[in-house]
């Protein structure tokens, strides 16, 4: 608890409370915690760092007709990163796809359109009442 400068870990009535909204993902508590109780999955990576990894399969993409698909969570929530990555993939003549639920700004989609060969839309429901997000 003491390594966190954001005071994310507090004791209330003898219980350890993790106040996630305060967490900045610095990783200090995860590195000091016991039994991997707190683990940060994933890491920050730049376009220049990921490109050599993606290019390892360039021959496979060419012979299979495949390519690189950006997906997971909502990839377009990081539209600038997606744009730069897709742009570099297109320079390598690699087929590109973006898998999105579309719950992003028009600006985010516009950024990647020039570098995307195909969009895959993840539609959860067609009924308007079912798909509408209700916020309180």
């Amino acid at each position: 608890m003491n390594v966190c400068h954001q005071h994310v870990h507090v004791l209330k009535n003898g219980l350890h409370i993790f106040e996630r909204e305060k967490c900045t993902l610095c990783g200090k508590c995860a590195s000091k915690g016991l039994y991997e109780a707190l683990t940060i999955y994933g890491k920050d990576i730049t376009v220049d760092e990921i490109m050599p990894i993606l290019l390892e399969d360039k021959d496979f993409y060419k012979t299979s007709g495949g390519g690189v698909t950006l997906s997971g969570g909502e990839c377009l929530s990081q539209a600038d990163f997606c744009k730069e990555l897709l742009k570099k993939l297109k320079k390598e003549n690699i087929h590109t796809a973006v898998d999105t639920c579309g719950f992003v700004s028009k600006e985010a989609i516009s950024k990647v359109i020039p570098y995307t060969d195909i969009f895959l839309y993840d539609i959860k429901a067609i009924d308007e009442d079912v798909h509408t997000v209700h916020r309180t």
Side-chain angles (χ1 to χ4, degrees):
M1 289 178 53
N2 296 331
V3 299
C4 180
H5 298 292
Q6 301 300 320
H7 307 290
V8 171
H9 304 274
V10 295
L11 282 177
K12 291 185 181 176
N13 299 323
L15 294 174
H16 173 230
I17 306 295
F18 180 74
E19 297 180 339
R20 189 174 307 275
E21 66 279 358
K22 293 181 183 178
C23 183
T24 60
L25 295 174
C26 72
K28 289 179 182 176
C29 63
S31 67
K32 298 291 184 185
L34 297 175
Y35 310 111
E36 297 181 3
L38 296 172
T39 303
I40 296 175
Y41 291 96
K43 65 177 184 172
D44 289 336
I45 192 167
T46 67
V47 170
D48 289 335
E49 290 170 326
I50 192 95
M51 277 301 293
I53 297 166
L54 297 175
L55 291 176
E56 288 176 7
D57 292 326
K58 188 173 180 178
D59 289 339
F60 174 73
Y61 306 144
K62 186 176 180 180
T63 59
S64 70
V68 174
T69 300
L70 305 186
S71 65
E74 176 50 66
C75 62
L76 292 180
S77 65
Q78 299 179 57
D80 290 330
F81 177 87
C82 290
K83 174 188 170 185
E84 292 309 312
L85 179 57
L86 293 165
K87 190 175 182 179
K88 287 195 174 200
L89 289 167
K90 293 312 300 171
K91 284 183 181 178
E92 294 288 337
N93 295 312
I94 295 173
H95 186 274
T96 59
V98 170
D99 186 353
T100 179
C101 70
F103 192 59
V104 293
S105 67
K106 288 180 183 178
E107 179 187 5
I109 294 171
S110 295
K111 286 180 181 183
V112 300
I113 284 175
Y115 313 106
T116 305
D117 294 311
I118 188 169
F119 282 88
L120 307 169
Y121 274 86
D122 183 7
I123 300 173
K124 301 292 185 194
I126 294 179
D127 183 285
E128 186 172 348
D129 292 330
V130 173
H131 90 274
T132 303
V133 176
H134 299 281
R135 296 183 181 169
T136 57

